[in-house]
Structure formats: structure tokens, C-alpha cells
Amino acid sequence: DLRPADRERRISRFERGESKGRRADFLDLLKDEEISINPCLYAMEGSLQRIPDDTHVRQEFEQAIARLSRALPKAKLMIGSRSIDGIMGLIEEARPSLERKQRFLQSIAPILQSPIGAQRQNQVWCEVLSIAKGCGVAPTDLVVLAALSAVVTPQSSPARKLLKFQPGYKASLAYNALCDLRALEYLLNCTARYPELRVQLCTADRALALFWTALGAVSRLEKDRLRMEMTPHAALLPPVWLERWNRISTG
């Protein structure tokens, strides 16, 4: 999960698994391991900052395979003849939900581009939930939790940095934030479906890593349905707000 310039800089550190002399980063943890890597999430997001079409997905997928094969030759790439069809199926299945969440983020962005003072937090909290309902986004969705966290935490908080609120907030920024959150949802799905495997999401996005760490999320399958439980750290939701969110999530 890297932006294009970061992807190239990190991948170019290695040639056939050997470092070319640049400073170490998380790829060094993988270079000597016989790991399995799925590049589908990379291709699914694309680099155009919008939902990609079939042609762009194919280009990104082939580029990811070439780079990973060059950098980490010991890695097993989880790809097949139907990978593109599978990616496009996931994109189309998720499109209505993603578009609703984009509308939600763009609607609340003008309200949340600056930190919310303590006296206004209750009002804005309720407003965010109301806008989510109007956009057809469930109050228990990760993007709503992140938005509520942005209401009650400082400018430097993980949720604020993850959602990328700023003046003139565009659909492209909302799309990038939602792709990050979608990656966490897929991670939780995989850990629930394959509990015997050590599944991980590799990212150089510090805000995403901090948000995940503070989320306190676990997942499991109940009658083949994914169930997620979260115990957010105070860095995401201070205690009084955590109590309110727990009432929403269990209501």
C-alpha cells in the first residue's frame, strides 16, 4: 500500500532480492522469507485516485507482478488466470458502497477540516451520524468510526491523518482514504477466514498503521458471516466518547 513514488523508491532498493545499498525499511523483513504475496489489492486501488477500469487494473496488476518478482524472487505471488476477473468483480460489487462513503466524507469534510472545540464536539458528533445516515452509511462502518474519532481528537490524530481532511477536499482524497480502510476490512476478513495463517498487510502509510494499531480489532466467522469487534484505544476515542460509540455499535 504505497503511493506511486514511494512504491518505486522502495521496490528499486532490491534487485533479485539483494539490497542495492539504500537504507533499510519493511521490505528487508521479507527479502529472505518464503512468503506469499497477493498484489490484487494494489491493482484494485490503482494509481488514478478513482475507481479503475479493466485496462488500468490490468496495467497495475502486471506492473506489480514485475516489480515484486524483481525485488523479492523468493516470494510466491498469489495470482491466477482469473485474477483480473476477480478484481473487477470486487470493484463492481463495492462500487455503490464506496460511492456512498465518498459522498459522506465530502459532506463532512468542510466541518472537520479543523479540530473541533470541546464545546462543539457533541453537536458535531450528532451531525456526523446524521450525515452518515443520509448517505446510507452504517454508523458502525469503519469510515464513520474514523470520522467520529476526528471529531473528538487533535489535528495530529491517526484518524484525521488517515481521512486526509483539508480545504477543498476532493473525491480523490476521499477515494484514497476509503481504499486504506478497505484494506483493513480485507485484512480482517482474511484473518477470520484463515485463522491458521499469519496474514498481514504491509504498508508504509504511518497513519494507517497507527489507526489499525489503535483500533483493537478482531474478527471471526459466525455461520459464514464476518463479525468484527473493536476496542478502540483512547487515542481514537477518549473514554467518554468510547462509551457513546459502544452504545451505537451494540445498539
Side-chain angles (χ1 to χ4, degrees):
D1 177 50
L2 300 170
R3 301 285 76 78
D6 290 332
R7 291 168 182 155
E8 183 58 36
R9 185 171 65 251
R10 284 171 169 78
I11 290 294
S12 64
R13 287 189 58 250
F14 289 90
E15 184 67 41
R16 299 185 181 279
E18 296 300 322
S19 173
K20 293 165 65 175
R22 300 185 186 178
R23 67 184 181 84
D25 61 23
F26 72 83
L27 279 181
D28 290 86
L29 300 174
L30 309 179
K31 68 183 183 69
D32 294 322
E33 299 291 330
E34 294 184 0
I35 59 172
S36 298
I37 300 179
N38 190 330
C40 293
L41 201 59
Y42 174 103
M44 189 175 179
E45 177 176 356
S47 57
L48 300 177
Q49 298 186 309
R50 64 174 185 268
I51 298 174
D53 60 18
D54 179 272
T55 300
H56 185 67
V57 166
R58 191 174 300 277
Q59 291 172 345
E60 294 285 288
F61 188 66
E62 291 174 354
Q63 186 180 72
I65 292 172
R67 287 175 169 174
L68 288 170
S69 298
R70 188 186 79 207
L72 301 172
K74 292 183 180 180
K76 176 184 177 182
L77 300 186
M78 300 171 66
I79 57 178
S81 60
R82 301 294 302 276
S83 291
I84 301 297
D85 292 339
I87 294 170
M88 293 308 302
L90 288 172
I91 287 174
E92 292 307 316
E93 181 182 28
R95 184 186 295 271
S97 174
L98 190 144
E99 290 176 344
R100 289 195 300 271
K101 294 173 187 179
Q102 275 186 296
R103 289 196 297 273
F104 167 65
L105 286 179
Q106 288 186 272
S107 297
I108 64 173
I111 307 168
L112 297 181
Q113 62 183 270
S114 299
I116 308 300
Q119 293 183 338
R120 295 184 57 239
Q121 286 177 350
N122 180 67
Q123 172 193 337
V124 177
W125 175 283
C126 295
E127 191 171 354
V128 166
L129 288 173
S130 177
I131 293 172
K133 182 178 181 180
C135 292
V137 181
T140 53
D141 196 283
L142 277 184
V143 70
V144 178
L145 171 58
L148 293 174
S149 175
V151 173
V152 298
T153 53
Q155 184 75 32
S156 60
S157 71
R160 279 192 163 275
K161 290 185 176 296
L162 176 65
L163 295 178
K164 304 172 176 66
F165 290 134
Q166 59 183 251
Y169 193 75
K170 297 180 180 179
S172 58
L173 289 173
Y175 176 77
N176 286 344
L178 291 170
C179 286
D180 288 344
L181 291 171
R182 182 174 64 190
L184 298 185
E185 290 170 351
Y186 283 157
L187 174 60
L188 287 165
N189 201 310
C190 287
T191 56
R193 294 184 181 279
Y194 307 103
E196 73 281 5
L197 299 179
R198 295 188 297 172
V199 181
Q200 61 181 309
L201 172 67
C202 293
T203 180
D205 188 325
R206 187 171 185 270
L208 179 60
L210 288 172
F211 183 83
W212 166 253
T213 302
L215 194 58
V218 295
S219 58
R220 64 179 184 275
L221 289 182
E222 289 185 356
K223 298 180 179 178
D224 207 37
R225 295 189 64 180
L226 180 67
R227 179 175 177 81
M228 296 188 295
E229 295 179 356
M230 290 168 279
T231 309
H233 188 273
L236 284 188
L237 291 175
V240 63
W241 298 104
L242 177 58
E243 290 180 14
R244 290 185 62 166
W245 184 80
N246 282 336
R247 290 197 293 270
I248 293 170
S249 62
T250 59

